[in-house]
Each structure stands twice: as structure tokens, then as C-alpha cells.
Amino acid sequence: MSRAALLMLADGRFPAGGHAHSGGAEAAVKAGRITGAADLEEFCRGRLHTAGLVAASLAAAAVLRVPVRELDAAADARTPSPALRVAARKLGRQLMRAARAAWPSQELDAVAREFPKGAHQPVVLGVVARAAGLGASDAAHCAVYESVSGAAGAVVRLLSLDPFDASGVLARLAPEVDRVADLAVEAGRGAVVEGVGALPAASAPLLEIGAEVHAGWGVRLFAS
Amino acid sequence: MHLDHTHDTTPAALGADARRPDGARRALRIGLGGPVGSGKTATVAALCRALREELSLAVVTNDIYTCEDAEFLLREAVLPPERITAVETGACPHTAIRDDISANLEAVEDLEDEVGPLDLILVESGGDNLTATFSKGLVDAQIFVIDVAGGDDIPRKGGPGVTTADLLVVNKTDLAPYVGSDLDRMAADAKAQRAELPVVFQSLRTGSGVQDVAAWVRAQLAAWTA
Ligand SMILES: Nc1nc2c(ncn2[C@@H]2O[C@H](COP(=O)(O)OP(=O)(O)O)[C@@H](O)[C@H]2O)c(=O)[nH]1
Ligand SMILES: [Mg+2]
């Protein structure tokens, strides 16, 4: 595995569309659920163990060659909010484009052809990680980290939060990020044997509801 | 990077490739950037009116936090609704046109897929500062729109937009007498910054300059399809 490829994939500047999404933070800020660094930490912790775990398990399973179509259906089943499904597929398509330029491979081309409007982002992330020579643990770490770093970055913009405080939140969550990534790799291995039904389905109802409310706003800074 | 363009091996274009996956030449993409309120949307509307009879057109807008530009164009009925798409930029309009162009690429490709062969797609940036320019991976040429009311020293100050844009439009010349802007000085400063690159002074109130901008676009298109 190439550690540099992992850094590239996890870099928020990798041009895969993430900058336009807040991971539910914009809706939570508007609803008064995030007002500062302490709330942000709790919000991110909630994301870690729900959306983060599910995304990372899908990504790990994709690296372990669980069929993409089955994983994509499993992701749909674990994403009640139609707005979040749309966002996940858009981001999957955007990641696919950047990855095909960075790590050209027939496997990526095949998935892009099968899902011209995008598969769920975590599933694409797993396929991309493999194309970049990375393993299940790498993909899971990327997915879990993204599940909190995107929200933290968005809150810096939304609340003019001190960026050092946001970095402190992410650093404090790091051991938990590692643990969730390990759980996700286990779950991905489980899916190889038992099928996608064995993947975690932890959900955060407020994230789903918030996403639907957010999608209805006329004025917003982030796409989701 | 070289990409082959045959249908069976290349599922979708990656970026600036001149050919679509089916081998046909894609539409010319022209970006319009410049500060908030300088007249980008109004220039897009004027271009659509000037060119829509002779060309198959579409527009992508990048609003900062609403869909107002797209809604304005829809209200003005400059093009049928299916030819206008809004991209959400996540509080960072320059990122969406320069550093991470994927959402805009998807928008232009979807327009070509869905409304059929297009000659020209205009991509309006969410208004930003004087340093915001379009990536060459997204557009083939860019117009930078400033206005006389934003200060007649903007051409002198330069910056990437003013200095490097393929066309500089100095808009709202009708307002010059009221805001005390010296158009001759703006023209001389622009010439000093841009050497041979073209500049058009335009007023969408009086209509002067509109045909010059349209003629420049026609020339870009002629070069693209040559
Ligand atoms: N007086 C005058 N107003 C203009 C001209 N062009 C645009 N405007 C007005 O300037 C305002 C901002 O224009 P708009 O196109 O929305 O700017 P954008 O933010 O760059 O897209 C609108 O109220 C336009 O009607 C012009 O040539 N002269
Ligand atoms: Mg505008």
C-alpha cells in the first residue's frame, strides 16, 4: 500500500466535491443544535457512530470485493432521506471522476459505466481505494474521517468558529475514529461471508430529518 | 493525460476532453467571472438574447447561497428552463470554478446529455473577488466582468481576472458620469495590464457593446469548431 495515496484520498483538497457539503452541520446550526466547539464535538461523535460507521463499512466491503451493485443497494436501504441519497450519489460521481484521472483503471471505468449518475460515495470510495493500491482499513479510515472532518470544516465557515478549536475537536476524536474504522473493517469482512445484510445499519434520525428540511430551504450555503 | 474516446472503454469524459464519449465534439464552454453585482447575470442574459436564434445554448449558474441567478434567467425567459442549471458551491464560489470543478463538469455534461447537441455553454461564477479565475479543465475561454461603479482603479490594480481573462468587459458605462469614473483612464490601464487581450466597454442599459461581446463569442466558437 502507498501511504501517500492514502493521504491524497483523505485530503480535503482532493477535488471530489466534498467542499460543497456540510454533513448535516448547516441544518444543525440553523436548528440551534450546534453553537460552538463543544456541540460540534458531540455532533461529530454522533456522526462517527452512525453515518460514519455505515459509510466506512460499505467502503471496507467494497475494497474486499463485495459486489458494487449490492453495496449500492445496501447504502440506499440505509439512507432513508431522499436528499441524502441524491447527495451521496452526486459525491460518488464526483469522486469517481477525480479518481479516474488520478488512478486510471479498468475497474473504475467499469463502475463509472455501470453508474453514470453515480453510486453511493462510500461504495465508490472503496473501489477507488483499491484502484489506488489501498486496503480495507485505509478506505474505512478515509470514510470515518470524512464523516467528521467535512462537518467540522463547514462549521468553521457557518459559525466563524475558531479553526483551531475545530482542529482540536477532530484531534480529540481521533482515537474514536480509529476504533470505528476497525469495527468497519470487521463488518466489511463479515459482509464478504454473510452478504450485505450483515453490514451495520446505525442511523441518526435527526440527520435524515435535518437533510430533508435543509433540502427545502430557498437560501443555504451548502448543498447538503 | 491521454484518454481514448471510444465508447466501449471510456464511460464518461473526465474534464476538458474536446470529444464526448460518443465521439462528437462537445460544446464550447465560456466562463463569466467577476465581482458580485458587476453584471455577469445580465451579460449572460444579453448573450442569450443575441445568440439564441443562431446557436444551441445552455447556462450553468454558481450562486453563492441561493438560486437567484438561475431564477432571474428563468423569469426573463432568456432560454427554456431545461437549458439552465444551478450548481451549489458550498460558500466558496471560486473553489467550484477552479480548485474542485467536478460539480460544474457534471452540470455541463448533464446539459449536453439531456438537451441534446449544444454549441455553447455559458458558466457564470458566483460573484467573488478579483483573484477568482476559471480552471482550464472547466472552460475553454473566460470573460471577466467588472463595472465602472466598482472603482475606476480596478484595471490599474490588475489581478488574475483583469490581467489574464480572454475578454475583459467593463460594464455599466452608462453610470460613469454619476460615479465619476474616467473611462479613458480605465481603457489605458486595461491596455497596460492586458497588452493585446481584448476589452469591451458595455452598457446593458443603452445596449452599447453588447454586440461586441457577442461577436467575440462567435469568434471563439468559430475557432473551436474549425
Ligand atoms: N446601470 C446599469 N445597471 C446594470 C448594467 N448591467 C447590469 N446592471 C444591474 O446591476 C445589477 C447587478 O447585475 P447582475 O447581472 O445581477 O450582477 P452579477 O452579480 O455580476 O451577476 C442588476 O440590478 C442589473 O440590472 C448596466 O450596464 N448598467
Ligand atoms: Mg449573477
Side-chain angles (χ1 to χ4, degrees), chain B residues 137-154:
Chain B
L138 176 60
V139 301
D140 303 297
Q142 49 194 308
I143 303 176
F144 202 71
V145 183
I146 59 174
D147 68 52
V148 305
D152 62 4
D153 53 352
I154 288 182

Side-chain angles (χ1 to χ4, degrees), chain B residues 32-119:
Chain B
L32 290 98
V36 177
S38 62
K40 296 178 296 299
T41 307
T43 300
V44 166
L47 277 173
C48 289
R49 291 192 187 97
L51 298 169
R52 66 190 172 194
E53 304 300 329
E54 60 196 91
L55 298 175
S56 177
L57 293 173
V59 173
V60 176
T61 64
N62 280 253
D63 280 319
I64 307 180
Y65 42 78
T66 66
C67 289
E68 277 188 35
D69 285 350
E71 281 160 11
F72 174 84
L73 296 170
L74 289 171
R75 225 174 24 249
E76 294 284 299
V78 295
L79 290 178
E82 66 276 12
R83 289 174 179 258
I84 302 171
T85 300
V87 167
E88 290 181 281
T89 59
C92 248
H94 55 270
T95 304
I97 61 164
R98 189 185 56 204
D99 310 279
D100 184 348
I101 57 178
S102 46
N104 270 297
L105 283 171
E106 249 120 68
V108 294
E109 289 169 9
D110 286 352
L111 278 167
E112 285 204 85
D113 286 346
E114 283 153 28
V115 296
L118 292 170
D119 300 309

